[in-house]
Amino acid sequence: MLFASARQTVVSIRMAQRVTPLQRLKFNNVALKKLPLDSSLEPGSRTVTGACFSSVQPQPLLKPTFVAVSEAALALLGLNADDVLCDPHGAECLSGSRVIPGSEPAAHCYCGHQFGHLAGQLGDGAVCYLGEVEVEAGAEQRSNPISTSPCGRWEIQVKGAGLTPYSRQSDGRKVLRSSIREFLCSEAMLALGIPTTRAGSLVTSDLYVQRDAFYSGNPRPERCSVVLRIAPTFIRFGSFEIFHPVDDFTGRHGPSVGRTDIRAQLLDYVIETFYPEIQRRHLDRQERNASFFREATVRTAKLVALWQSVGFCHGVLNTDNMSILGLTIDYGPFGFMDRFDPEFVSNASDKKGRYSYEAQPYVCRWNLARLAEALGTELQSAKAGAILDEFMTIYQDCYLDIMRRKLGLLRQQEPEDVELVADLLKTMHITGADFTNTFRLLSAVSCPAGEQKDRDSTDSVVELIVEQCASLEELKVMILSMAETNPGMFNMVTNQPEVTKQLEKIGRLKDLLVINEVELKIKQRDHWQRWVKQYRRRLAHECDEVSDPAAVEKERVRSMNSTNPAVVLRNYIAQNAIEAAERGVIFQRSEVQQLLKVLENPYSVSADLERPVWSAGNGSVQADGDSIKGQEVKENTKRKAAADTHQIPYNSKPPAWARTICVT
């Protein structure tokens, strides 16, 4: 009996050992328990009424294989990256090709205002909710609010896992290019300290779909790929718009018009689950809802201030791409600015510049107004209006606080700081300075000391900044391209401020036509010497009445170098990783995995950062937020670019071909 019992124990142990960490994930799919679920598995796209989710069956990939994984993101689920990679079914499980025990695949129903107009039912057309994983947060996660889930669960999704009721005319698949961009940027934003959804893994396959990247009638086969996305929830502003009545302008409406019971159910779920402190604080429903809306407003204002501080442009700020938790969500045609341009548009499809860099704060406020409308009688309009009136003040205060830290202004807050920041951005714009590299270089500007030492220090920093500024040809292209992204540039029947702005551009272009490269560099140097002189006067105030100016200076430099990144995910850097992946680089030498390592430490100047990356400048393609080189590039130019292949460090000034990259 003892022998038999021992044998049973051994067998049980061996069986337990065969249970992989992925199989041991503890699912508690609360969203599907508390919100209405459409359980029909009827194939094809359809209107889904009276439900927040629809059951789906992910379609498996052919020979799924890992391209890259994020150790930090997988750790949120209690998973070790090595265990996942060693799991023979790991790539299948994390791509939706094999159902993980306890998961309940579903797609979320939502609507949205797209480019200012109600689009009706949208929903997860290529995304599949797998479930919610319960994990006790580790000490590191608890100390970092943006790595903590307020409900103790992490929703996991697979993006690109096939058709859902919301796929409309698409095939529910994502290709390698868009998947690489989302995977990398999700993790890069976290490292920059910006609230974001996460990406745990990137899987590609031998399953191909046809994509006509240039919309030229020449489709080509591309590998289907899947990103594992992680967040406390992916509920968004548009989730509340499924109850939207018929829109006067478009004639469209949400699929669940009049279902105030489901709206109340959804709102209760969001507040009770993700804003528990608000739920505990308020007994009155209207007061509770107003407090929730104000918190959503504050988080959104702070989020967009963080975007602006690193030159990030989302690209498609529709209401369906705005997280109810104030996270950066749905990475498509995003972009980090190279040269500073307030009218920078990362999405080539956005011909009118609705979602330009400078417009982002105003668009976010507009989207919050649509959320208030969607809440209907759950939120008193007067209270909503008063909260919305606070948005710009919250945003501006947060933005100025960040900019002070970026400039090392830590000890005092002076009214002139607003002008100092404005003058800095104006100088950047006039000279075509690189946004990321210029801020990084400013830590080398010293507080006033000896006159000769000051002059030498200032001159050396100015020279480094001028090296990063645009050439004469680049500035001409920048100004001329504004007419392409802003069709109203030369339309003199627009409002007077717009006319004035466009005339200023014309004046700048005229000035550039009558000078040469040497004269331009002299002008750029003069602009920067004037601003640095202004900056150093302000830095002197930081040392007023301090016993140890050297300690103050040391802390300023440390703070600036931990606030101004040395590297961000520029389009050309992402493009290099895309092209390497498309050439079939194996996981162990994956450029995506190597680049992730760099992006996880954006404030460090390490050997990995300085490690050159291949920059071939070959033509690439677009779709769902993928980068392309402009189709107008002639074949001989492309051959020359390929012949000029060279290596560029991640933190270098972008190569000339970078400005031809287009994302749509």
Side-chain angles (χ1 to χ4, degrees):
M1 288 292 293
L2 289 174
F3 180 75
S5 176
R7 283 186 61 189
Q8 289 173 349
T9 301
V10 171
V11 170
S12 297
I13 290 173
R14 286 176 177 172
M15 289 180 65
Q17 288 175 338
R18 286 201 293 268
V19 177
T20 68
L22 284 170
Q23 293 172 324
R24 289 197 296 267
L25 287 176
K26 184 180 178 182
F27 282 94
N28 183 9
N29 307 325
V30 177
L32 301 189
K33 299 172 185 175
K34 292 197 171 184
L35 298 173
L37 171 68
D38 161 42
S39 59
S40 170
L41 292 175
E42 176 188 345
S45 298
R46 54 190 168 84
T47 300
V48 176
T49 61
C52 296
F53 288 90
S54 296
S55 295
V56 298
Q57 294 178 321
Q59 287 94 57
L61 297 174
L62 178 63
K63 296 182 180 178
T65 182
F66 285 111
V67 175
V69 297
S70 166
E71 293 184 21
L74 290 176
L76 298 176
L77 308 177
L79 294 172
N80 178 280
D82 289 336
D83 290 341
V84 171
L85 292 170
C86 290
D87 187 333
H89 302 300
E92 292 177 86
C93 290
L94 297 187
S95 64
S97 302
R98 176 184 290 258
V99 176
I100 305 173
S103 65
E104 299 178 78
H108 181 39
C109 181
Y110 53 82
C111 292
H113 279 78
Q114 298 192 323
F115 289 88
H117 303 297
L118 184 70
Q121 177 180 291
L122 298 170
D124 288 336
V127 171
C128 176
Y129 161 107
L130 294 182
E132 299 159 58
V133 178
E134 285 188 336
V135 181
E136 183 177 348
E140 183 178 348
Q141 293 170 23
R142 286 194 295 269
S143 67
N144 185 355
I146 64 176
S147 291
T148 303
S149 174
C151 63
R153 296 185 305 278
W154 292 98
E155 178 181 330
I156 59 174
Q157 299 184 337
V158 281
K159 183 173 183 178
L163 293 167
T164 78
Y166 312 106
S167 296
R168 292 172 285 169
Q169 304 302 313
S170 76
D171 55 20
R173 295 299 188 183
K174 295 297 178 182
V175 294
L176 188 56
R177 292 169 289 108
S178 59
S179 300
I180 287 173
R181 285 171 56 84
E182 172 143 6
F183 174 80
L184 288 173
C185 200
S186 299
E187 296 304 282
M189 293 291 268
L190 178 89
L192 291 169
I194 299 174
T196 177
T197 58
R198 304 294 298 278
S201 63
L202 169 58
V203 172
T204 193
S205 72
D206 285 349
L207 180 66
Y208 288 81
V209 288
Q210 294 289 321
R211 290 290 187 262
D212 183 2
F214 292 102
Y215 304 105
S216 60
N218 297 303
R220 70 180 179 98
E222 299 192 58
R223 291 181 184 273
C224 293
S225 303
V226 171
V227 173
L228 178 77
R229 306 204 301 181
I230 306 170
T233 183
F234 286 83
I235 290 175
R236 57 211 55 212
F237 291 8
S239 303
F240 289 91
E241 293 187 296
I242 65 173
F243 316 105
H244 200 293
V246 176
D247 183 75
D248 292 337
F249 184 77
T250 65
R252 299 190 180 101
H253 58 81
S256 297
V257 178
R259 294 300 303 270
T260 56
D261 57 327
I262 299 179
R263 183 177 66 194
Q265 199 175 347
L266 177 60
L267 184 58
D268 288 345
Y269 170 72
V270 167
I271 297 175
E272 291 169 5
T273 308
F274 307 109
Y275 294 89
E277 69 289 349
I278 291 176
Q279 180 68 27
R280 290 191 296 266
R281 203 163 55 233
H282 298 282
L283 296 176
D284 181 82
R285 186 176 184 85
Q286 285 288 336
E287 289 297 326
R288 181 201 70 165
N289 296 349
S291 180
F292 153 71
F293 183 68
R294 188 178 194 283
E295 181 62 22
T297 298
V298 170
R299 292 189 187 192
T300 302
K302 291 182 176 180
L303 176 69
V304 71
L306 287 165
W307 288 351
Q308 302 298 92
S309 73
V310 295
F312 175 80
C313 205
H314 183 282
V316 196
L317 274 180
N318 300 324
T319 56
D320 56 292
N321 293 333
M322 297 285 293
S323 164
I324 206 71
L325 299 185
L327 307 175
T328 314
I329 190 173
D330 286 351
Y331 292 92
F334 68 84
F336 286 86
M337 281 193 298
D338 291 331
R339 298 179 188 87
F340 177 73
D341 177 6
E343 295 183 21
F344 170 68
V345 176
S346 63
N347 179 4
S349 303
D350 185 8
K351 297 300 184 183
K352 294 184 178 179
R354 176 180 176 83
Y355 298 140
S356 68
Y357 170 80
E358 65 181 352
Q360 288 188 132
Y362 304 97
V363 169
C364 285
R365 184 194 180 282
W366 189 90
N367 287 342
L368 281 160
R370 304 292 74 75
L371 173 61
E373 288 176 358
L375 293 174
T377 56
E378 293 285 355
L379 180 65
Q380 295 174 3
S381 59
K383 286 190 175 179
I387 293 168
L388 287 169
D389 287 343
E390 300 175 32
F391 178 88
M392 288 309 298
T393 299
I394 297 168
Y395 161 74
Q396 289 166 352
D397 288 348
C398 183
Y399 177 75
L400 182 58
D401 179 62
I402 297 170
M403 296 306 280
R404 282 191 174 111
R405 282 187 276 119
K406 287 176 75 69
L407 293 175
L409 308 179
L410 309 177
R411 300 186 68 252
Q412 300 184 41
Q413 296 183 1
E414 299 186 1
E416 294 78 9
D417 293 345
V418 175
E419 182 180 356
L420 179 68
V421 171
D423 287 346
L424 168 60
L425 298 180
K426 183 179 179 181
T427 303
M428 280 190 184
H429 192 208
I430 290 172
T431 62
D434 186 275
F435 185 82
T436 300
N437 292 348
T438 297
F439 272 111
R440 186 75 182 185
L441 287 168
L442 288 177
S443 64
V445 175
S446 61
C447 282
E451 183 176 343
Q452 183 59 46
K453 182 180 178 181
D454 288 351
R455 187 181 302 115
D456 293 343
S457 171
T458 300
D459 288 348
S460 63
V461 175
V462 167
E463 286 305 315
L464 289 172
I465 293 175
V466 171
E467 286 177 14
Q468 297 285 333
C469 290
S471 67
L472 182 60
E473 191 60 34
E474 288 168 338
L475 281 174
K476 290 177 184 177
V477 170
M478 282 174 61
I479 296 174
L480 286 171
S481 67
M482 293 174 189
E484 184 178 331
T485 57
N486 183 359
M489 178 174 178
F490 299 109
N491 185 352
M492 294 296 108
V493 297
T494 56
N495 59 68
Q496 189 58 44
E498 182 64 20
V499 170
T500 301
K501 182 193 287 188
Q502 305 309 339
L503 287 174
E504 287 176 358
K505 294 174 188 172
I506 296 171
R508 284 184 63 199
L509 183 58
K510 286 182 177 178
D511 290 342
L512 293 174
L513 293 174
V514 296
I515 64 173
N516 58 37
E517 190 71 41
V518 173
E519 292 168 328
L520 173 65
K521 290 302 175 186
I522 292 172
K523 287 194 171 192
Q524 290 174 334
R525 191 173 294 107
D526 289 344
H527 282 301
W528 279 107
Q529 284 175 337
R530 279 194 295 271
W531 185 84
V532 169
K533 184 177 181 181
Q534 178 186 0
Y535 176 45
R536 295 183 75 250
R537 284 198 300 267
R538 174 62 180 85
L539 286 180
H541 297 176
E542 292 290 296
C543 295
D544 287 348
E545 301 178 3
V546 297
S547 58
D548 190 354
V552 172
E553 175 76 349
K554 184 177 180 180
E555 174 58 20
R556 176 184 72 85
V557 173
R558 186 204 64 77
S559 177
M560 291 180 71
N561 286 338
S562 62
T563 307
N564 297 312
V567 62
V568 294
L569 184 59
R570 300 176 190 259
N571 278 336
Y572 86 90
I573 295 176
Q575 186 65 26
N576 280 324
I578 289 166
E579 293 181 5
E582 289 183 332
R583 289 194 297 269
V585 178
I586 62 174
F587 176 85
Q588 288 80 358
R589 294 187 291 109
S590 164
E591 176 67 19
V592 178
Q593 196 70 45
Q594 292 294 329
L595 179 53
L596 174 64
K597 184 179 178 182
V598 172
L599 295 171
E600 287 175 331
N601 297 282
Y603 302 103
S604 301
V605 179
S606 64
D608 288 319
L609 176 63
E610 299 291 348
R611 183 179 69 85
V613 292
W614 285 107
S615 170
N618 298 325
S620 190
V621 289
Q622 74 177 47
D624 293 334
D626 301 312
S627 53
I628 66 169
K629 310 283 182 358
Q631 190 178 12
E632 72 280 359
V633 177
K634 296 180 181 178
E635 285 303 314
N636 62 342
T637 304
K638 289 164 69 176
R639 284 194 296 271
K640 181 179 184 300
D644 290 344
T645 294
H646 57 292
Q647 293 184 307
I648 304 173
Y650 289 119
N651 62 340
S652 72
K653 179 181 178 180
W657 63 263
R659 67 173 181 264
T660 69
I661 294 176
C662 172
V663 185
T664 185

